[in-house]
Amino acid sequence: MTDDSVLLCTDDNGVRTLTLNRPRRKNAINSTLWTALRDALDAAGNDRGVRALVITGAGGAFCSGADISAPDGGHPTYKMRMLTDVALLLHELPIPTIAKVSGVAVGAGWNLALGCDLVVATPQSRFSQIFTRRGLSLDLGGSWLLPKLVGLQQAKRLALLAETIDAEQARALNLVTWVVPEPDIDAFVASLGERLVAGASIALAQTKALLNEGADRTLRDALANEARAQAVNFATADAPEAFAAFVEKRDPDFTGLWSATAAGKSTANSERG
């Protein structure tokens, strides 16, 4: 994508960064940006070279929500269909996702961050479920995400009062994973991305899916899903590689390659040892 795009895309050693690029509007998402974001998430999920995804914003803000200042004239049904696509693509991406939040993250912008697996913010970050102040209700998955992350009562507080909270309050509510000083956030997120890229991609994907699905399943369902996922993991080259690296006292080199025979040998060795 070009520098004048509403969504910038950069790759660095397996980490893809998507930067919302409408700084004059604090990266409010208009129809063009919704489309670009949907397409970029779809592309990331289908690119084997992408092992982790970072979403951030340009110009000192993460995202001020959906841009309601410039209606596109389309029926709201189509707009909400686009938001649904973005929320589901982000939630179901088979790679770990990180929201790098500087400045404001409000409305759909905050829910975009909450849809990521990990959220890194700065002390200057501010958050709000601003919808009711705009005569609207939650969207981009907020009605599902908030109760799961903070419980029903706190979710109602955030949604009904549309309060603005700071990064430390958000972390106390389990809505932010880390609060990092502004000068350090780039290096922190880069290091975090490197750690995720170094992990076993198939195992990470299976683990992410299990955690996402487990929130709505019985223990019996969760155990069945865990057994299915582990069978997939044992059929990759990563499981025997991890065992060999442990024995040889070195870091593993995970590739995610399918290698059922090698996995079987490793399992046999593990059971004997």
Side-chain angles (χ1 to χ4, degrees):
M1 296 182 180
T2 61
D3 290 341
D4 61 351
S5 171
V6 295
L7 184 69
L8 308 181
C9 178
T10 58
D11 290 320
D12 184 15
N13 295 321
V15 178
R16 178 164 294 176
T17 299
L18 301 179
T19 303
L20 310 181
N21 190 38
R22 300 187 72 219
R24 292 183 181 179
R25 299 290 304 164
K26 293 186 177 180
N27 303 314
I29 309 179
N30 61 7
S31 59
T32 302
L33 184 47
W34 281 121
T35 300
L37 190 55
R38 178 199 61 189
D39 294 345
L41 291 172
D42 184 56
N46 288 290
D47 188 337
R48 291 188 179 183
V50 179
R51 302 281 293 272
L53 181 77
V54 176
I55 299 179
T56 191
F62 181 76
C63 178
S64 59
D67 191 346
I68 60 175
S69 68
D72 57 17
H75 195 282
T77 299
Y78 299 116
K79 177 181 178 180
M80 295 312 301
R81 186 179 300 165
M82 181 67 72
L83 268 67
T84 296
D85 290 345
V86 168
L88 286 176
L89 281 165
L90 180 60
H91 182 70
E92 295 174 354
L93 272 182
I95 54 175
T97 55
I98 305 165
K100 183 169 72 172
V101 180
S102 296
V104 298
V106 301
W110 190 8
N111 291 336
L112 180 66
L114 294 179
C116 294
D117 302 315
L118 304 167
V119 180
V120 185
T122 70
Q124 294 77 29
S125 301
R126 294 294 181 267
F127 305 88
S128 176
Q129 294 288 330
I130 201 170
F131 297 96
T132 57
R133 286 196 234 162
R134 304 290 183 258
L136 300 169
S137 53
L138 303 174
D139 61 24
L140 208 71
S143 64
W144 186 86
L145 290 162
L146 279 175
K148 293 186 180 304
L149 292 168
V150 304
L152 183 58
Q153 189 174 69
Q154 290 294 335
K156 288 180 177 178
R157 166 202 159 189
L158 292 168
L160 298 178
L161 297 178
E163 297 174 327
T164 297
I165 64 174
D166 63 28
E168 287 297 344
Q169 290 174 300
R171 181 166 62 175
L173 289 167
N174 296 321
L175 296 169
V176 164
T177 321
W178 295 279
V179 178
V180 178
E182 181 77 40
D184 301 332
I185 191 170
D186 289 345
F188 184 92
V189 171
S191 176
L192 187 57
E194 289 174 3
R195 291 165 60 189
L196 291 170
V197 167
S201 58
I202 302 300
L204 288 175
Q206 297 290 320
T207 299
K208 174 177 174 175
L210 285 170
L211 291 172
N212 283 342
E213 295 169 8
D216 293 322
R217 302 296 177 92
T218 65
L219 176 60
R220 187 176 296 275
D221 290 334
L223 290 168
N225 282 340
E226 288 172 0
R228 167 192 53 76
Q230 211 67 295
V232 173
N233 294 325
F234 282 133
T236 71
D238 288 343
E241 166 62 13
F243 178 77
F246 173 77
V247 170
E248 298 166 14
K249 295 181 172 56
R250 60 174 174 81
D251 291 332
D253 180 18
F254 293 124
T255 63
L257 296 176
W258 181 260
S259 182
T261 300
K265 289 179 181 178
S266 177
T267 302
N269 289 336
S270 178
E271 289 173 350
R272 285 198 300 269

